[in-house]
Amino acid sequence: MTALDLAGPVAVVGTGTMGQGIAQVALLAGHLVRLYDTAPGRAREAAGAIGARIDRLVEKNRLTAADGDAARARLLPAEHLTDLADCALVVEAVLEELGAKQELFRALEDIVGEDCLLATNTSSLSVTAVGGALRNPGRLVGLHFFNPAPLLPLVEVVSGYATDVSSATRAYETARAWGKTPVACADTPGFIVNRIARPFYAEAFAVYEAQGAEPATIDAVLRECGGFRMGAFELTDLIGQDVNESVTHSVWRSFFHDVRFTPSLAQRRLVESGRLGRKSGQGWYDYREGAEPAEPHTAEPRPAPAYVVAEGDLGPASELLALIREAGVQVREDEEDHGTRLVLPGGGQLTLADGQTSVEFRDVVYFDLAFDYRKATRIALSTSQDTSAQTLSEAIGLFQALGKDVSVIGDVPGMIVARTVARIVDLAHDAVAKGVATEEDIDTAMRLGVNYPLGPFEWSRRLGRTWACSLLDDLHERDPSGRYAPSLALYRHSYATEKREGAS
């Protein structure tokens, strides 16, 4: 058995934003769709809202008038749960509360046929626990859509501990037949996206809590240097601080308070104050009428240095050498190759973020990792109180000569983009080693689910397979809490690569 036959009715229980979105997806795939909600009249209201969205698709010529009429005719509100008896698939999108979901599926088990596939759209609960209340948990699977479901292509197909392979396959093929991009995932806290995305938020908040930079600067660096669609602060304001923090807490508790998933105290205070983001008018940023937009720190113009001395090829930042030459700054090669850095005319050094701090060295400025140094419009620099004014000025002037805005942050080991990417890569390797998902599915999930510029394994291949482990080792030495300790999976991957390269 593969995808659902188009003649098979699909039911959606729960008619909030997500439930309506899933119903619309199934409807436009050709199914008869039944909507059910425990609140009287809610299903009819939801059907009307979906019908209005279909009308707008027709108005925009994304759907023919005939197809729109046919879709509305297939959408039927259900007055009673028993009206779902003939459905081939029931998707639950109710309150994220384990007892409520279990109660619903127990009731459905007595109503629907033996071959009906049951699916939960939970984003934070255990699929195994939801199915644990059923007589036949093998037919329950997770179908985690992303909001808005009609627009976002990703669906995480989650197999609980007791889910039958045939049920997971049927759900996977159904999602694909609906025009979605499914990825297969084991039942683990946060599944793929919400597990591996935690560092994107956590590291930004950590830099802020360490007073390394303010939210507007961190967000600008993540966008304009890291290539991410949105920064962590603006994204959590959009999601809702309460919602984002709730997912973080859920993953943290589910991993038995693993320090790698520790929630942010700064975000907790934001939630406690009622500043939940856009929906409340204030979050990390102020969205009230008349509020001044927050601006990132941008350094004043400085003169470019006449030359730099290149020691080594700069590793993942090697394309900078060509950009520097194109900008008219002379690049002198040091044949003795003391490392991978640039030496400025005043004797100071410019080094790619590596997990160490500027204060440990004499007159060093660190620069952050960029997704694409040619396309990046902003670069972050990190200094300590011991960095000379001349060295900082020459470093700023060099990147400004390349056409970049420059943000100077505090002496933050691993800076902003580099530490974030390294931790995402680490969690991805750990997930594969523990059977959560394949490398390909993880890369797909992170690109489509949260719009990352690259998947974690694509990052790893681009940066060098030992890069993340080396940076995290340095970070762990400076923060031995365990938060930055490389996973055993990443360590093995890096060590095996070093051995192969050494043997060759």
Side-chain angles (χ1 to χ4, degrees):
M1 187 178 294
T2 54
L4 295 175
D5 189 309
L6 288 182
V10 171
V12 178
V13 179
T15 58
T17 300
M18 184 58 76
Q20 289 183 33
I22 296 170
Q24 182 177 328
V25 171
L27 195 65
L28 295 182
H31 290 275
L32 184 151
V33 176
R34 292 197 172 94
L35 283 174
Y36 176 78
D37 199 293
T38 54
R42 188 72 58 80
R44 290 195 176 279
E45 291 176 9
I50 295 169
R53 284 197 290 275
I54 290 173
D55 288 341
R56 286 196 291 274
L57 292 175
V58 172
E59 291 170 4
K60 295 177 180 179
N61 294 319
R62 296 178 184 173
L63 198 66
T64 67
D67 286 343
D69 291 340
R72 283 194 302 276
R74 292 194 302 271
L75 182 59
L76 303 174
E79 297 293 335
H80 308 285
L81 200 62
T82 51
D83 295 339
L84 314 184
D86 64 339
C87 287
L89 166 65
V90 179
V91 183
E92 163 274 315
V94 303
L95 181 71
E96 280 289 277
E97 201 279 313
L98 179 62
K101 293 179 187 293
Q102 289 178 327
E103 182 180 355
L104 170 64
F105 283 118
R106 276 197 298 264
L108 284 168
E109 203 170 26
D110 292 331
I111 294 170
V112 299
E114 294 279 336
D115 60 347
C116 177
L117 183 64
L118 303 178
T120 174
N121 184 57
T122 184
S123 61
S124 60
L125 298 176
S126 163
V127 172
T128 302
V130 174
L134 300 181
R135 294 190 302 273
N136 177 17
R139 63 164 156 172
L140 181 89
V141 65
L143 271 180
H144 181 217
F145 289 79
F146 287 74
N147 193 29
L151 298 180
L152 294 186
L154 185 70
V155 177
E156 292 176 320
V157 181
V158 186
S159 293
Y161 186 79
T163 301
D164 292 337
V165 172
S166 59
S167 297
T169 301
R170 191 178 175 200
Y172 185 98
E173 294 301 333
T174 296
R176 185 155 63 180
W178 288 0
K180 296 301 181 182
T181 303
V183 291
C185 176
D187 186 19
T188 184
F191 309 142
I192 297 174
V193 172
N194 279 327
R195 171 181 179 148
I196 295 174
R198 292 349 291 165
F200 180 73
Y201 313 108
E203 294 312 307
F205 298 162
V207 172
Y208 168 74
E209 289 173 342
Q211 300 186 52
E214 73 285 354
T217 297
I218 297 169
D219 277 354
V221 172
L222 286 168
R223 286 193 316 269
E224 300 170 36
C225 181
F228 292 96
R229 185 73 61 87
M230 298 179 73
F233 296 91
E234 59 185 337
L235 180 55
T236 53
D237 268 357
L238 179 63
I239 294 169
Q241 298 302 330
D242 51 341
V243 174
N244 181 261
E245 191 204 32
S246 176
V247 173
T248 299
H249 270 270
S250 175
V251 172
W252 177 57
R253 286 192 303 268
S254 298
F255 277 112
F256 308 107
H257 295 182
D258 187 328
V259 69
R260 295 176 301 166
F261 302 101
T262 301
S264 162
L265 180 59
Q267 188 179 39
R268 176 89 292 261
R269 294 291 178 259
L270 206 64
V271 173
E272 288 175 338
S273 71
R275 297 187 176 193
L276 307 181
R278 288 183 176 273
K279 63 185 176 183
S280 69
Q282 285 180 287
W284 295 111
Y285 300 109
D286 192 341
Y287 301 94
R288 294 172 298 178
E289 186 176 353
E292 291 290 328
E295 297 293 338
H297 170 270
T298 302
E300 293 296 322
R302 307 289 174 85
Y307 68 90
V308 295
V309 179
E311 296 182 348
D313 64 2
L314 298 187
S318 58
E319 65 182 318
L320 276 176
L321 296 178
L323 298 179
I324 293 170
R325 291 187 178 97
E326 290 169 15
V329 177
Q330 182 185 7
V331 178
R332 300 176 182 175
E333 305 281 350
D334 186 338
E335 295 180 358
E336 294 186 13
D337 190 7
H338 299 292
T340 54
R341 61 195 176 198
L342 295 175
V343 180
L344 299 163
Q349 299 174 18
L350 190 56
T351 303
L352 176 63
D354 59 7
Q356 301 182 84
T357 57
S358 178
V359 76
E360 299 172 53
F361 307 97
R362 187 184 68 82
D363 218 12
V364 166
V365 174
Y366 278 105
F367 64 93
D368 209 347
L369 178 71
F371 168 62
D372 184 326
Y373 283 99
R374 185 172 292 277
K375 294 180 180 178
T377 57
R378 183 177 298 272
I379 293 292
L381 302 180
S382 175
T383 68
S384 74
Q385 64 270 26
D386 296 330
T387 305
S388 73
Q390 180 181 356
T391 295
L392 177 57
S393 178
E394 289 174 345
I396 292 171
L398 176 64
F399 281 105
Q400 288 175 337
L402 307 185
K404 317 298 184 189
D405 287 329
V406 176
S407 294
V408 180
I409 69 171
D411 192 11
V412 178
M415 301 193 66
I416 298 171
V417 179
R419 71 194 291 175
T420 299
V421 170
R423 287 208 58 216
I424 289 171
V425 168
D426 181 53
L427 289 187
H429 277 277
D430 185 55
V432 169
K434 292 176 178 173
V436 173
T438 64
E439 291 186 9
E440 181 181 2
D441 276 357
I442 288 175
D443 276 353
T444 297
M446 302 313 290
R447 285 196 314 271
L448 299 184
V450 277
N451 288 313
Y452 285 1
L454 291 174
F457 294 97
E458 292 171 320
W459 272 114
S460 186
R461 288 188 289 272
R462 173 186 282 206
L463 296 170
R465 298 177 72 184
T466 63
W467 175 85
C469 189
S470 177
L471 187 143
L472 291 174
D473 263 334
D474 282 339
L475 270 169
H476 178 56
E477 185 178 335
R478 285 146 189 83
D479 178 0
S481 64
R483 178 187 181 107
Y484 300 104
S487 66
L488 182 58
L490 184 65
Y491 179 79
R492 283 173 171 157
H493 179 78
S494 177
Y495 187 76
T497 301
E498 287 183 338
K499 283 185 67 176
R500 286 196 299 271
E501 291 174 351
S504 62

